[in-house]
Amino acid sequence: MSAPDLLYSELEEDLRATVRRLLRDRCDWTAVLARCETDEPYDLALWRALAGELGLAALLVPEELGGAGASAREVAVVAEEIGRAVAPVPFLGNVLATAALVACAEAPSELADGSRIGTVAVGLTTPPQAPFPQAVKADGAALTGAVSAVVDLEVADLVVVPAIDADGPALYLVDTSAAGVTRTPTTPLDLTRRFGTLDLDGAPGRRLASGAEAERALRQALLTAAGMLASEQVGLAQHCLDSTVDYAKTRYQFGRQIGSFQAVKHRLADLWVGVSSGRAVARNAADALARDTEPELAVAIAQAHCSDLVVLAAEEHLQLHGGIGMTWEHPAHLYLGRAKSSQLAFGIAETHRSRIGELADLPTP
């Protein structure tokens, strides 16, 4: 087995520059904050530009299924930039749905071209190794049940629904405009990424996979999304570090830059070490997913580190700005909200540390 490649390729850096330029032009924090106060918190025009015009939603889709034939490495670069900008786009749900459909050998053409948005009907806190969900039952093609905390649900056109039918575990594709489908948004902590409850009352669905294939496809979708989330967390943490360093160079107290105080230097140095380590494990997870080399262990390691790192970075960002983030007119609270919600997504750090112990055959408490 060859060593993982943690470096960014020239193509990946070009992709980063393109995505960052678009987000800088159309997704500065003032626009994000203003949108959070409206009835349309998601910027769907921006998502169509990212997904359709730049073709980013097709990166995970193999060429034989009509996609770009890229890999998790390229998607991870996009995730970093979305985290850096706390972009209010349905990126995470679309990654979940695309990965699930690809694992079922389905061509997610409408998701890949950005014309429709997808997600998977699992709770946002569901870890990749969780048992197959039992909340939805299928009677023929009619689905009944409820799933809470479904990410990006309010803007999703298509939902991949895990259900139990006569043959056991199965995955169904449901159109949210169909009869019997109800979506109820949940009041969020994170104003830039929403979730809600999906209620199905005899809703029609098309079966994608059943039995072991359905279980494998769902686990692959959760694993891929958790790996991409680690990169998003690194991008967010990097922004918090960069912004705080810039502030420490310009804010003066007692006639000195606050960045000259040793206590501030130590906190920023510790955060730099954490972000650098986070980037390494997130890149390793993306590389493992791309090459299919022990991806479950790599993703567990990345999430065990990055899910706590991102909250630490957001807290330091707020505190070293003198608590200014408690005011609505500063973006620090947007980053803290995204950090806290992503800390819980796909399992907390302790869950992933336990999984590392299982996979590496290490004793756990």
Side-chain angles (χ1 to χ4, degrees):
M1 186 183 299
S2 59
D5 180 5
L6 305 186
L7 300 178
Y8 297 100
S9 68
E10 183 178 348
L11 178 62
E12 289 165 350
E13 290 293 5
D14 288 344
L15 175 62
R16 181 195 306 282
T18 300
V19 175
R20 184 176 295 185
R21 184 165 52 249
L22 177 62
L23 292 176
R24 184 178 60 242
D25 292 343
R26 299 182 54 173
C27 189
D28 65 279
W29 72 265
T30 56
V32 175
L33 184 59
R35 181 169 289 280
C36 289
E37 298 181 290
T38 72
D39 294 331
E40 297 181 354
Y42 283 92
D43 191 341
L44 297 185
L46 174 61
W47 174 246
R48 285 190 289 271
L50 289 167
E53 295 174 23
L54 295 185
L56 303 185
L59 291 176
L60 270 180
V61 183
E63 291 182 351
E64 59 268 23
L65 294 178
S71 73
R73 289 177 59 95
E74 290 77 18
V75 181
V77 171
V78 176
E80 285 187 40
E81 294 308 308
I82 286 176
R84 176 185 288 271
V86 285
V89 294
F91 169 77
L92 195 58
N94 222 65
V95 167
L96 273 168
T98 300
L101 289 169
V102 168
C104 294
E106 291 276 335
S109 54
E110 292 175 303
L111 302 185
D113 65 14
S115 60
R116 305 190 82 181
I117 298 166
T119 189
V120 175
V122 293
L124 185 58
T125 59
T126 305
Q129 70 273 15
F132 196 86
Q134 307 282 315
V136 177
K137 309 298 180 185
D139 182 7
L143 306 179
T144 301
V147 184
S148 60
V150 179
V151 69
D152 298 332
L153 178 64
E154 63 185 83
V155 293
D157 302 297
L158 301 171
V159 182
V160 177
V161 180
I164 303 298
D165 62 16
D167 298 322
L171 292 180
Y172 287 80
L173 188 63
V174 173
D175 191 317
T176 56
S177 64
V181 178
T182 303
R183 293 176 287 174
T184 306
T186 303
T187 301
L189 170 65
D190 180 2
L191 300 177
T192 62
R193 173 173 287 151
R194 308 299 180 103
F195 54 89
T197 299
L198 176 69
D199 287 288
L200 303 172
D201 184 10
R206 177 171 68 86
R207 191 161 78 166
L208 301 170
S210 61
E213 182 185 355
E215 295 183 276
R216 179 190 59 80
L218 179 60
R219 175 168 290 198
Q220 182 63 34
L222 290 168
L223 194 65
T224 301
M228 298 305 97
L229 182 64
S231 289
E232 181 188 290
Q233 291 166 330
V234 168
L236 191 154
Q238 183 69 62
H239 168 85
C240 290
L241 174 60
D242 293 343
S243 175
T244 307
V245 168
D246 289 343
Y247 182 77
K249 292 177 180 178
T250 58
R251 177 75 168 98
Y252 280 75
Q253 285 185 338
F254 311 111
R256 294 174 56 185
Q257 294 174 328
I258 65 170
S260 68
F261 296 126
Q262 190 174 39
V264 174
K265 289 180 180 179
H266 284 177
R267 290 173 69 170
L268 290 174
D270 289 344
L271 185 56
W272 181 87
V273 171
V275 172
S276 298
S277 300
R279 188 178 305 281
V281 294
R283 289 294 294 167
N284 180 56
D287 187 71
L289 285 165
R291 298 192 300 149
D292 195 23
T293 53
E294 298 186 339
E296 195 169 354
L297 178 60
V299 169
I301 292 171
Q303 274 298 306
H305 180 78
C306 294
S307 61
D308 284 344
L309 163 70
V310 70
V311 174
L312 173 64
E315 290 175 344
E316 294 288 65
H317 182 228
L318 188 152
Q319 292 171 12
L320 293 178
H321 274 76
I324 196 171
M326 297 305 294
T327 63
W328 192 254
E329 293 77 16
H330 192 275
H333 65 88
L334 295 175
Y335 287 88
L336 183 59
R338 174 68 72 88
K340 288 298 292 184
S341 72
S342 72
Q343 183 186 37
L344 304 176
F346 308 121
I348 60 175
E350 183 179 352
T351 300
H352 292 289
R353 284 193 287 268
S354 295
R355 186 57 178 161
I356 293 168
E358 294 171 4
L359 294 170
D361 196 23
L362 296 172
T364 56

